[in-house]
Amino acid sequence: MAYISEVMGCGGYLPAKILTNQELAQTLDTTDEWIVERTGIHRRHIADNGQLTSDLAVQAAKQALEQADLSADDIDCIIVATTTPDHPFPATAARVQSKLGASKAFAFDIQAVCSGFVYGLAVADNFIRTGQAKIVLFIGAETMSRLLDWHDRRTCILFGDGAGALLLKASSSPSSLSSGVLSTHLFSDGHHYDALYVDDTIRIDALSRGVIRMQGREIFKSAVEKIGQAVQKALDNHKLTANDIDWFVPHQANQRIIMGVCERFSIPVEKMVLTIAEHANTSAASIPLALNTAVQDGRIQKGHLVLIEAMGGGLTWGSSLIRW
Ligand code: UT7
């Protein structure tokens, strides 16, 4: 029997505490105008002390379970895409499993930084396609604020905390284009390892933790080209054009990168789901947060064709087409 991964529900969670550009400008040599013009970001949400990545993940997961009308007992597999696990090990997914009480699931993390959601979706989809899991809870969750050097204006303005979740279910499908995850396309190039990285090994000691270092301009230049390659591959794979897409839900890293991709493929701005203003770059959480926003406000509906893409540290990049 051939299976496809159908989307049953989604959820999102942003911590209550908001840090605006204006607040940042009080302690940093920057301005609201610069940040908005160069990135599209207006504010970011910051996890409280003691609020861990797994806490954010569980909130998003509960919302997805509710939307899908499923219980924790139904879940076979939990995958958390994160760069900011609660601890170096065990996997944050194991903690999510315990907090949800999803006793029959197996659980693990994947790490592909800002591409984590596309990479994790590929993993989840393959578990379902091969019949190894029937219901997969897949979460992108991050507390990026804990990896920031708050004195570095080139990086600390860009990131925020949050989580988004998808529930995928195996269903048999007569045609590969009818519904669910149609395909995923993954790429990486380790030659650019140093373009975006954390400058220390993992330590729990907050006084000596590593922080994000980024060659912003280099990443920016690569982004439109590499994302373009991933988007083209997804479209070509199904003999589609950008006109066939109902919604373009990109990784929310920089509004100018997103606009560049839209221009390259002549995707009208009305089809673009943009949430970066509200939560900045939440790494693996940004796509599911945007998906959840567009589902909640009624834009994405059953049967719609959704294109997602991401690029991040590694470098890693990728895309996927999902028939909602
Ligand atoms: O998820 C994937 C990971 N990351 C990304 O996708 C990020 C990709 N890169 C970017 O988004 C952009 O490169 C940034 C937003 C990081 C920077 O924007 P930019 O237009 O590429 O600016 P820049 O680095 O070329 O810097 C221009 C100027 C510099 O001043 P000088 O040297 O021209 O005098 C910077 O020092 O802007 C200055 N600058 C700032 N000024 C005010 C850099 N950061 C700031 C700031 N506020 N926060």
Side-chain angles (χ1 to χ4, degrees):
M1 168 88 78
Y3 293 105
I4 54 133
S5 312
E6 228 175 315
V7 179
M8 300 299 291
C10 61
Y13 177 77
L14 291 166
K17 187 172 156 196
I18 291 172
L19 180 62
T20 64
N21 292 346
Q22 287 91 345
E23 285 170 292
L24 267 176
Q26 285 167 18
T27 54
L28 199 66
D29 181 15
T30 190
T31 60
D32 176 46
E33 292 73 27
W34 192 96
I35 300 173
V36 172
E37 193 195 311
R38 300 289 180 120
T39 69
I41 296 164
H42 289 249
R43 62 191 76 82
R44 67 286 294 142
H45 294 244
I46 306 291
D48 268 342
N49 285 340
Q51 196 177 24
L52 301 173
T53 294
S54 62
D55 296 315
L56 277 50
V58 164
Q59 293 301 326
K62 284 183 174 167
Q63 207 183 332
L65 282 166
E66 203 181 304
Q67 204 185 96
D69 203 17
L70 291 170
S71 80
D73 286 336
D74 297 317
I75 303 168
D76 297 315
C77 167
I78 300 174
I79 304 172
V80 175
T82 188
T83 309
T84 47
D86 289 5
H87 293 104
F89 76 85
T92 297
R95 224 178 199 176
V96 171
Q97 174 190 18
S98 135
K99 286 177 180 174
L100 288 175
S103 48
K104 93 171 202 230
F106 60 93
F108 62 96
D109 291 356
I110 74 127
Q111 212 282 53
V113 208
C114 295
S115 304
F117 192 77
V118 179
Y119 269 65
L121 185 64
V123 175
D125 184 42
N126 279 308
F127 270 111
I128 286 179
R129 281 178 190 271
T130 56
Q132 221 175 329
K134 292 263 180 292
I135 294 189
V136 178
L137 169 63
F138 170 42
I139 307 166
E142 302 279 16
T143 46
M144 297 303 282
S145 61
R146 303 205 167 110
L147 287 180
L148 296 177
D149 171 355
W150 292 102
H151 301 290
D152 179 5
R153 66 178 182 171
R154 291 162 305 164
T155 53
C156 76
I157 58 146
L158 294 173
F159 295 92
D161 302 338
L166 270 196
L167 264 163
L168 298 167
K169 184 183 170 196
S171 67
S172 44
S173 166
S175 124
S176 64
L177 267 181
S178 64
S179 67
V181 178
L182 305 186
S183 61
T184 52
H185 306 274
L186 308 180
F187 306 85
S188 61
D189 182 354
H191 287 108
H192 302 281
Y193 189 93
D194 296 334
L196 177 53
Y197 69 107
V198 169
D199 65 358
D200 202 350
T201 52
I202 297 167
R203 293 183 199 178
I204 297 302
D205 174 1
L207 296 174
S208 60
R209 70 196 170 90
V211 290
I212 291 175
R213 300 293 176 212
M214 182 175 73
Q215 293 166 26
R217 231 175 270 187
E218 188 191 319
I219 300 276
F220 191 97
K221 273 195 232 147
S222 299
V224 178
E225 179 221 321
K226 295 201 179 320
I227 292 166
Q229 174 195 14
V231 166
Q232 194 63 59
K233 181 98 188 201
L235 295 172
D236 290 349
N237 195 56
H238 299 282
K239 299 188 173 51
L240 296 170
T241 71
N243 278 338
D244 298 308
I245 304 302
D246 293 302
W247 299 107
F248 174 50
V249 187
H251 167 50
Q252 313 280 318
N254 186 317
Q255 190 168 318
R256 288 188 294 144
I257 295 174
I258 297 170
M259 296 305 287
V261 176
C262 280
E263 272 166 36
R264 175 164 167 186
F265 289 93
S266 304
I267 299 173
V269 285
E270 308 81 66
K271 288 188 174 183
M272 170 180 73
V273 177
L274 203 59
T275 53
I276 189 168
E278 174 58 35
H279 57 65
N281 182 348
T282 55
S283 190
S286 93
I287 294 174
L289 277 166
L291 286 170
N292 185 51
T293 299
V295 168
Q296 299 296 335
D297 67 22
R299 275 179 287 175
I300 296 180
Q301 294 185 8
K302 187 121 190 82
H304 281 175
L305 187 60
V306 178
L307 169 68
I308 67 171
E309 53 79 355
M311 196 203 85
L315 295 178
T316 53
W317 64 103
S319 64
S320 175
L321 278 169
I322 308 165
R323 178 76 68 186
W324 212 258

